[in-house]
Amino acid sequence: MWALAASVTENYRSLGSHFHARARKYANADETAGRQKFINIRHAQAWILIGIYEFKMMMFPNAWLTTGRATRLTQMLGFHRLDGLGLDVKQSLPTPTD
């Protein structure tokens, strides 16, 4: 969020790349920690915001990879399914807590 805010503010524009690098570093560190706690809506939102910043800064290869990562997370969370009473497929992950 800070990277996006810095990219539209003249005084802080130079800090956008620094905030972007930190956000990617922290998100990658959470994802490679070896536990499945990174599968939540907060991480999906973080990857979406990182992808938006990368598109805005015309880092298209990174942006597409980041957007794909966010999409896979949201699919693992089951956000692509319509609300209903029953599930049409077997849940391989525990139910989301948020």
Side-chain angles (χ1 to χ4, degrees):
M1 194 70 210
W2 286 358
L4 282 171
S7 71
V8 296
T9 308
E10 191 64 39
N11 294 340
Y12 301 108
R13 187 160 292 158
S14 62
L15 296 174
S17 61
H18 172 71
F19 290 142
H20 169 254
R22 285 181 65 180
R24 283 192 68 87
K25 181 180 100 172
Y26 293 145
N28 277 329
D30 271 352
E31 208 168 273
T32 58
R35 56 193 186 284
Q36 288 193 347
K37 293 188 179 198
F38 71 91
I39 303 173
N40 59 42
I41 193 168
R42 292 179 299 275
H43 281 85
Q45 288 172 333
W47 283 116
I48 289 168
L49 288 171
I50 292 169
I52 291 170
Y53 176 82
E54 290 171 347
F55 274 119
K56 186 176 172 88
M57 295 295 123
M58 291 189 269
M59 299 182 229
F60 295 121
N62 286 349
W64 283 113
L65 291 172
T66 303
T67 304
R69 180 177 279 168
T71 303
R72 285 188 296 276
L73 270 175
T74 56
Q75 286 179 337
M76 281 193 276
L77 289 167
F79 292 154
H80 64 289
R81 295 192 196 116
L82 295 174
D83 292 341
L85 295 176
L87 294 175
D88 55 345
V89 295
K90 181 181 174 193
Q91 278 289 98
S92 58
L93 296 171
T95 57
T97 58
D98 55 1

